[in-house]
Amino acid sequence: ELQTMQQSLAGLFGFLIFRIGSVQAGGMGILGLVLALIGVYGVVSFGASLRTREIGIRVALGAQPLDVLQLILGQGLQLVGAGIVLGLGIAIAISRMLAAGIPLVNGADRGAFAVVAGGLAALALWSCYVPARRATRVPVTTALRHE
C-alpha cells in the first residue's frame, strides 16, 4: 500500500492525528502560561502583604500611590526579568541541541523567542500590576496596626 504524502494526509486519520497533536500541544502551552501567571501573581501578592506595615509607614510619611505602585511593580518585575533571561538561555541551549540532532530544525529562531518572551513579559506585568494596585489602596491606619 504505497501512498504519496498527499494521499496519506488526505485520509481521516492522516491529518486528524497531526491536528489533535497540535491542539494538545497548544493547550498544554496555554495551561503552562496560566500557571506561570498565577504563580507570579501569588508571589507578588504575598510579597506585598508581607510589606503592608512598610507601605503604611511610607504612605504616612508622604509617599504617593504611584511610589508604592512602582515599589511593588519593581519587586515583581525583577523576578520576572530574571526568569525570562534564565528561560531564554535554557531555551536557546535546548533548541541548538535539537537542531544539531534533528534535520530541518532551526535552532536560532530569534523572532519566535522575542515574541514569546515579550508576550510573557507583558502578561507578567499585568499579573504584577494587580497586587501592586491593591497595595496602593491599603489604609494607613490598617497598615500601621498590621501584625
Side-chain angles (χ1 to χ4, degrees), residues 40 44 48 51 65-81 121 124-133 135-136:
V40 168
V44 173
R51 299 175 80 175
L66 183 63
D67 298 329
V68 174
L69 187 73
Q70 288 175 347
L71 177 74
I72 303 299
L73 270 179
Q75 172 191 3
L77 292 181
Q78 283 178 350
L79 293 170
V80 169
L125 174 66
W126 175 79
S127 185
C128 291
Y129 177 77
V130 174
R133 182 75 177 153
T136 62

Side-chain angles (χ1 to χ4, degrees), residues 1-129:
E1 290 190 32
L2 290 177
Q3 294 179 343
T4 65
M5 181 62 86
Q6 198 77 2
Q7 292 170 337
S8 179
L9 290 178
L12 177 63
F13 293 109
F15 189 64
L16 183 65
I17 291 174
F18 291 115
R19 170 95 56 177
I20 290 172
S22 65
V23 168
Q24 185 179 15
M28 290 296 182
I30 290 172
L31 179 65
L33 177 66
V34 168
L35 288 174
L37 293 177
I38 289 171
V40 168
Y41 172 82
V43 167
V44 173
S45 181
F46 181 69
S49 70
L50 289 179
R51 299 175 80 175
T52 302
R53 185 171 173 92
E54 174 193 347
I55 291 169
I57 292 171
R58 286 177 185 265
V59 170
L61 292 175
Q64 299 299 317
L66 183 63
D67 298 329
V68 174
L69 187 73
Q70 288 175 347
L71 177 74
I72 303 299
L73 270 179
Q75 172 191 3
L77 292 181
Q78 283 178 350
L79 293 170
V80 169
I84 287 176
V85 168
L86 185 65
L88 276 176
I90 292 171
I92 289 171
I94 289 175
S95 69
R96 288 195 179 164
M97 286 188 324
L98 288 176
I102 302 173
L104 301 176
V105 173
N106 185 4
D109 191 5
R110 292 186 180 116
F113 286 133
V115 168
V116 170
L120 180 62
L123 289 172
L125 174 66
W126 175 79
S127 185
C128 291
Y129 177 77

